[in-house]
Amino acid sequence: MLTLLFVSLGLLLLLGLLFKFAFADGDFTLISKKHVKREAIEGKVVWITGASRGIGEVLAKQFASLDAKLILSARNKAELERVKSELKGKYAPEDVKVLPLDLASGEESLKHVVEQAVSLFPEAGVDYMVHNAAYERPKSKATDATEEILKTTFNVNVFGTITLTKLVAPLMLNQGGGHFVVISSAAGKVPSSGQAIYSASKHALHGYFHSLRSEFCQKGIKFTVVCPGPIETSNGTGASTSEDKKSPEKHVSSERCAELTIIAASHNLKEAWITHQPVLLVMYIVQYMPSLGFWLMDKVGGKRVEVAEKKGNTYSWKLLFGEKSKTN
């Protein structure tokens, strides 16, 4: 009887976990952290790149509401000023700093920008460096990518981001610590047909920042790599965007993505996945059963590119079961 009771409880627990997983919008560790640790954010200097729109804009609004001191960067100064004017918080909008930045401008230019950033809040430094800026093109065949697209993608997503990190890290070491929050992508964790160049750039970031964490984890610098799947953004930016708003498959809102990103950072999670099914399931399978995961992605790959070319939904369950998603 006692054995039957334990088996029944175990089955109930398993069913509960499966139900929770079916409707989750993040990995188990992330969604277990329910709330932001406000004390980890309040009064801290947060520098956000790609802050003029999309996820970066929403991150700025949520960090401001948590009473962080903000530095907003992107190429478009006018849009940064617009974002600044809409922020609310203890230090917003009056004390929010706008600092135009082009990640592809080269090390000398970025060095000058970093010097400016450090001077904006004297004696405070930079507590959080949020790498959100990214370059992404519509999905297409890998062989169709031009050299210009390859160079532009890596100049922004990889070389610029790494160079900025290389310049900010010594300052964090001197001030006794800091935290890099890297907005990567699910495409940086699993094969992503139709996004070969973008996926390669995000895989590069994973290799760099996880290696950097190993070097600096004993020196007070923390790293959180965030991997969003398809995200619903109001103006087409971010780690990913909704391609088919009529699709029944859910996309995580940019507001929820930003919230979970800040939760992950405030709890010092090393990596966080933000996405609904079926992408979340695929990420787990590729992570823990790579042979099966790669087989699934090979099954989907060619069809996904075809659906993308027809402006259909490339994140549909139907791709796994041999059907093509409806096009617009």
Side-chain angles (χ1 to χ4, degrees):
M1 181 64 71
L2 190 60
T3 301
L4 181 61
L5 177 62
F6 280 122
V7 170
S8 299
L9 289 174
L11 287 173
L12 285 174
L13 178 60
L14 179 61
L15 287 173
L17 287 173
L18 288 174
F19 182 82
K20 186 175 183 179
F21 182 67
F23 294 95
D25 56 4
D27 66 81
F28 280 124
T29 304
L30 175 58
I31 61 177
S32 72
K33 302 300 181 185
K34 303 189 184 304
H35 304 292
V36 173
K37 292 175 67 175
R38 191 183 182 96
E39 65 273 15
I41 306 297
E42 190 172 7
K44 299 295 192 295
V45 177
V46 179
W47 185 5
I48 306 172
T49 66
S52 62
R53 52 183 182 171
I55 295 173
E57 177 179 348
V58 181
L59 280 169
K61 291 177 179 178
Q62 294 192 15
F63 271 117
S65 70
L66 292 167
D67 296 336
K69 301 173 182 177
L70 293 178
I71 303 173
L72 306 181
S73 287
R75 290 181 298 176
N76 191 324
K77 185 177 181 180
E79 282 297 294
L80 289 173
E81 292 289 355
R82 176 190 61 78
V83 173
K84 173 182 175 178
S85 69
E86 297 174 2
L87 300 182
K88 297 178 181 179
K90 181 178 180 180
Y91 301 101
E94 293 81 7
D95 294 326
V96 173
K97 311 300 182 183
V98 167
L99 183 60
L101 164 69
D102 180 359
L103 278 175
S105 61
E107 184 168 352
E108 284 304 313
S109 176
L110 291 177
K111 185 181 297 185
H112 177 65
V113 173
V114 170
E115 291 171 354
Q116 287 181 277
V118 174
S119 68
L120 293 175
F121 292 100
E123 309 300 325
V126 175
D127 297 298
Y128 287 88
M129 176 78 251
V130 182
H131 287 303
N132 172 69
Y135 179 80
E136 180 181 8
R137 295 287 298 168
K139 293 179 180 64
S140 63
K141 295 177 182 177
T143 53
D144 291 341
T146 64
E147 184 179 9
E148 180 183 359
I149 290 175
L150 174 61
K151 288 182 177 179
T152 302
T153 302
F154 271 74
N155 281 340
V156 175
N157 296 3
V158 182
F159 303 137
T161 299
I162 288 177
T163 299
L164 186 58
T165 300
K166 187 179 71 170
L167 294 169
V168 172
L171 302 175
M172 288 184 173
L173 288 172
N174 289 337
Q175 70 189 28
H179 197 144
F180 287 96
V181 180
V182 185
I183 309 300
S184 179
S185 170
K189 294 294 293 183
V190 301
S192 186
S193 51
Q195 295 177 290
I197 305 303
Y198 177 76
S199 179
S201 71
K202 293 302 184 177
H203 274 79
L205 290 184
H206 280 251
Y208 177 77
F209 282 102
H210 285 313
S211 297
L212 203 60
R213 186 188 66 248
S214 296
E215 290 186 30
F216 289 149
C217 64
Q218 302 299 323
K219 299 180 180 180
I221 299 184
K222 303 170 184 177
F223 296 85
T224 298
V225 179
V226 181
C227 307
I231 303 298
E232 190 75 67
T233 56
S234 60
N235 46 18
T237 69
S240 183
T241 57
S242 171
E243 299 170 352
D244 184 0
K245 295 183 180 180
K246 298 178 182 178
S247 167
E249 282 77 19
K250 295 177 67 177
H251 294 73
V252 179
S253 69
S254 53
E255 289 76 17
R256 177 60 171 165
C257 180
E259 177 189 7
L260 288 173
T261 295
I262 298 173
I263 287 174
S266 69
H267 286 272
N268 190 27
L269 301 186
K270 294 176 176 62
E271 187 168 290
W273 303 348
I274 302 173
T275 186
H276 286 297
Q277 306 295 355
V279 179
L280 185 60
L281 174 62
V282 171
M283 292 179 75
Y284 267 101
I285 294 174
V286 170
Q287 178 85 358
Y288 296 107
M289 294 182 285
S291 293
L292 176 59
F294 293 144
W295 176 83
L296 280 173
M297 295 310 294
D298 290 348
K299 179 180 173 65
V300 168
K303 291 180 290 184
R304 190 169 189 253
V305 175
E306 292 175 11
V307 171
E309 290 175 343
K310 297 178 181 179
K311 308 299 183 184
N313 179 32
T314 59
Y315 299 99
S316 172
W317 282 104
K318 296 176 183 179
L319 294 176
L320 290 173
F321 300 109
E323 297 181 62
K324 294 181 181 178
S325 298
K326 294 179 181 180
T327 56
N328 291 328

